[in-house]
Amino acid sequence: MFSGVTSRSARGISAAVALLAIGAVGCADLVDSAKDGAKKVARQRSVFSLTPGDCYNPNAGTGESQESSVEIVPCGEAHKGQVVGEFSIEGKSEYPGDTEASKMADEGCPAESQKFVPDTWAVPEGVGLFIYYPTKESWADGDRAVSCTYAKESGTFSGSLKNASLTADQRSYLKGANAVYEAFWSNQPEADQIEKDLAGYKKQAEAVAKALDSHLAALKSVDQPETVKLRTQLGETAEAWDDAASAAGIDDFYIAYDMAFTGIDPHKTVAARKELKLATTIPADDADVWAS
């Protein structure tokens, strides 16, 4: 999965979207091309007015650095992305700069997007988090909004990503599971080797242990066989993360971390997910991490 951030352009809707590409074709094709072009123009909306639930096609590519408008389309049609959350950058009297604004957007969108799509395993393959955030120019005009979207870098998908009508058991499981993996990834130490940043790895272990405790507490209300088994296994895993967080040295950390890391292998959650009628296909990136 990919993740990208794109700043809003301070300019208005680009006139380029109104241009129709007409080649040397027959009259019927010219009419169809004109109709398609007119529909695209009619569907244009400024990126300043995006709202959660909107399905869209960007006018610039997903790799472009700025975007001023997008084409809003019915979610039943093929599209590149869907807006899944939004929030405002608060506590800044001046524009924080592109790097800081991008970082704040990247940090805030995972939690916001999970309100719309709690079961991230249900997101189609190749679809990843993509973000629109303010530029210095749009900030001066009062823009503080960050739009969190799921978009496909190559190709399109159909239908809304929104997880509708989740049961209480499903919500309890997803809230805790998402928090555990968010704690793991958001506290990832910069150093690849534990010896170079033991304190950073212990801090990560502490965060994961805390998230697991909350996850386990929520799972007490789920009385289904496979989920009960998972809760027992995660209880042992939580102890391993606690041991890693309090390890006196490298050797003690390694012993605890090996059990802790394998304990949150997503493959071990598939049976419970199937029982809870949630998506059971492990996202490719996660599968690769635990496979290695």
Side-chain angles (χ1 to χ4, degrees), residues 208-258:
V208 175
K210 183 177 180 180
L212 270 170
D213 286 342
S214 296
H215 188 22
L216 289 166
L219 288 181
K220 286 182 178 179
S221 65
V222 184
D223 187 22
Q224 298 194 50
E226 291 298 335
T227 309
V228 170
K229 290 181 185 178
L230 176 64
R231 184 178 182 279
T232 299
Q233 181 258 309
L234 288 178
E236 297 172 354
T237 300
E239 292 179 5
W241 282 105
D242 277 328
D243 290 343
S246 60
I250 291 289
D251 291 342
D252 289 340
F253 183 87
Y254 267 115
I255 293 171
Y257 187 78
D258 183 57

Side-chain angles (χ1 to χ4, degrees), residues 110-111 113-115 117-121 163 170-186 211 215 273:
S113 65
Q114 285 174 9
K115 296 175 184 178
V117 192
D119 190 0
T120 56
W121 286 28
N163 295 150
Q170 288 173 327
R171 290 190 179 279
S172 293
Y173 172 82
L174 290 170
K175 182 178 180 180
N178 289 340
V180 169
Y181 290 105
E182 178 62 22
F184 179 79
W185 289 116
S186 64
H215 188 22
R273 278 180 158 272

Side-chain angles (χ1 to χ4, degrees), residues 122-147:
V123 174
E125 183 178 0
V127 175
L129 198 59
F130 194 81
I131 304 166
Y132 292 104
Y133 68 94
T135 62
K136 182 178 181 179
E137 291 78 12
S138 68
W139 183 278
D141 291 332
D143 179 26
R144 302 291 186 273
V146 174
S147 297

